Amino acid sequence: MKCETVKKKIDQLIFEESSTLIEEVRKHLEICEQCEAYHQRCNEMRKVTSMLQKSPILADPEKLTEDILLAIENADQNPAINQLYSSEKVIRLITKALAAASVILVIVFGIEQYQVVNSVSKLETYSSAVSTENPYVSLKKLVIYNAGTNISGETKIDEITFLNQKKISTQIMQARISSIITDRENDENINRLLAATGSFYRINMKNSH
Amino acid sequence: MRFDDEKIIEKAQSGDKKSFGILVKKYQQLAFNLAFRILCNEDDARDVVQESFVKIWKNIKNYNPGIKFTTWMYKIVTNTSIDHQRAESKKKAVCIDNIDLTNHLESDNPEFIFDNRETGQLIKQVTETLSDKQRLVFVLRDLQGKSPDEVCEILNLSLTTIKSNLYHARKSVKEKLQMIFSYERRNV
């Protein structure tokens, strides 16, 4: 018998209580020092695994039985509470659903944020490039970065539509556009400007006062 | 399953708590052994045994007498232990203290004697590098002494998966034991 085969047989001894060495292995061990040394080492390990295979001590088993029966009694008395609060599966399911909803919200909100930021940047670039001499356009006046600027007849945006006809739905996005466009007098010009930037289609505004 | 067990379970299924109490008394040690070997902690194991028996009571009507009661119980204890372990690992970082085998190696006593704390630490130490699946297979097969078929039933895994996981688990545990022994020898 080869040493490798003998060692595999010896390995079984470490974990299987019932396993014993067959005669052929025993004979090999008598003539092979290396395998015999391996056998001794495995025997030591066997002592440890056999100790781990012994039952752990259950202290005060009567108390455990009592606790279990009491817990059953409580569970029977409060089935609704148990169903609601101790159902870990439901809690886990809700947690997962909330996490998924958060991810979806971040993606949807992120896409819209990107579209608006991108379009607003184009709007800003375009407006700064256009001459201010044209009294009808007066584009630079349209772009005011500070939304807190006190302007009489404050402009409130009702609806913003992208070129692809998609409407900006979130108020926070509308507020960002509002921070740029604040001049009620230039309604028409704003929409001309928007079309020219190739980003927005239309902005409908109403005077909040 | 023995005849008297069948009767007791039938009574428990009809809502007889006294009969269920007999089942608890009879099988709580087995449930504790498994929970302890998975969790490596006495208090956690007691909590899991309690929780498992509450689940068993709630679902006793769904118990299929076609499978052994202990197999069904082990399945519930295993799942409850895993859930408990996940919840606990979120709360606290697990610290593994290496067990000192020096005294045992020096002793002529043919059998090592460990208390629960030492046993728990040693199981944790030798199984720490195993995957969850490997650890469960190792605990059920080599520490609980369950047959491969029963391990398949408890873990809902195929025999091939069980054998493969057991092979890798044993290999890793053996390496760990070798490391422990070589370290202890240096210190003897």
Side-chain angles (χ1 to χ4, degrees), chain B residues 147-178:
Chain B
S147 70
D149 287 341
E150 217 173 334
V151 180
C152 291
E153 182 78 46
I154 294 166
L155 298 179
N156 274 338
L157 295 171
S158 70
L159 194 59
T160 319
T161 312
I162 298 294
K163 280 182 179 172
S164 150
N165 277 284
L166 186 65
Y167 170 78
H168 292 291
R170 281 181 172 181
K171 198 173 166 217
S172 173
V173 169
K174 193 185 132 194
E175 282 166 11
K176 272 275 173 188
L177 286 170
Q178 277 172 333

Side-chain angles (χ1 to χ4, degrees), chain A residues 75-89:
Chain A
D76 281 350
Q77 278 171 7
N78 304 307
I81 293 172
N82 274 301
Q83 272 181 353
L84 271 175
Y85 297 108
S86 69
S87 174
E88 287 171 18
K89 280 185 183 174

Side-chain angles (χ1 to χ4, degrees), chain A residues 7-8 11-12 14-17 38 40-79 82-83 86-89 92, chain B residues 17 20-21 24-25 28-29 32-33 36-37 42 46-47 49-51 53-55 57-58 83-84 86 101 105 109-116 118-120 122-123 126 138 141-144 166 169-171 173-174 177-178 181 185:
Chain A
K7 281 179 181 173
K8 274 184 187 168
D11 277 348
Q12 287 183 345
I14 305 173
F15 302 103
E16 290 174 21
E17 204 170 9
Y38 184 78
Q40 292 305 322
R41 284 202 301 277
C42 288
N43 268 345
E44 282 184 338
M45 289 186 243
R46 170 70 206 144
K47 285 179 192 171
V48 176
T49 51
S50 78
M51 198 58 222
L52 297 181
Q53 283 161 348
K54 286 190 176 164
S55 292
I57 300 150
L58 172 59
D60 205 352
E62 292 83 12
K63 173 80 171 54
L64 182 61
T65 312
E66 268 175 37
D67 289 345
I68 291 167
L69 296 176
L70 191 68
I72 287 165
E73 204 65 50
N74 289 337
D76 281 350
Q77 278 171 7
N78 304 307
N82 274 301
Q83 272 181 353
S86 69
S87 174
E88 287 171 18
K89 280 185 183 174
R92 245 183 278 139
Chain B
K17 280 184 190 160
F20 190 74
V24 171
K25 264 187 195 167
Q28 64 179 10
Q29 174 76 56
F32 177 77
N33 292 352
F36 178 83
R37 284 163 176 159
E42 208 174 323
R46 285 181 87 94
D47 288 347
V49 170
Q50 185 175 315
E51 203 181 324
F53 273 107
V54 172
K55 285 181 185 171
W57 169 250
K58 282 181 182 173
D83 288 345
H84 187 88
R86 281 184 190 146
L101 293 174
L105 281 175
N109 190 341
E111 282 196 338
F112 299 157
I113 298 163
F114 292 144
D115 59 22
N116 277 0
E118 285 176 317
T119 309
L122 193 58
I123 294 174
V126 298
F138 173 73
R141 178 75 184 101
D142 283 342
L143 300 186
Q144 289 287 121
L166 186 65
R170 281 181 172 181
K171 198 173 166 217
V173 169
K174 193 185 132 194
L177 286 170
Q178 277 172 333
F181 275 96
R185 272 198 202 89

Side-chain angles (χ1 to χ4, degrees), chain A residues 151-173:
Chain A
I151 297 169
S152 59
E154 186 187 341
T155 300
K156 190 175 176 187
I157 293 175
D158 246 7
E159 188 179 285
I160 304 172
T161 315
F162 282 109
L163 277 178
N164 61 5
Q165 301 291 311
K166 191 184 163 196
K167 287 176 184 172
I168 298 175
S169 52
T170 55
Q171 286 189 346
I172 195 161
M173 291 302 143

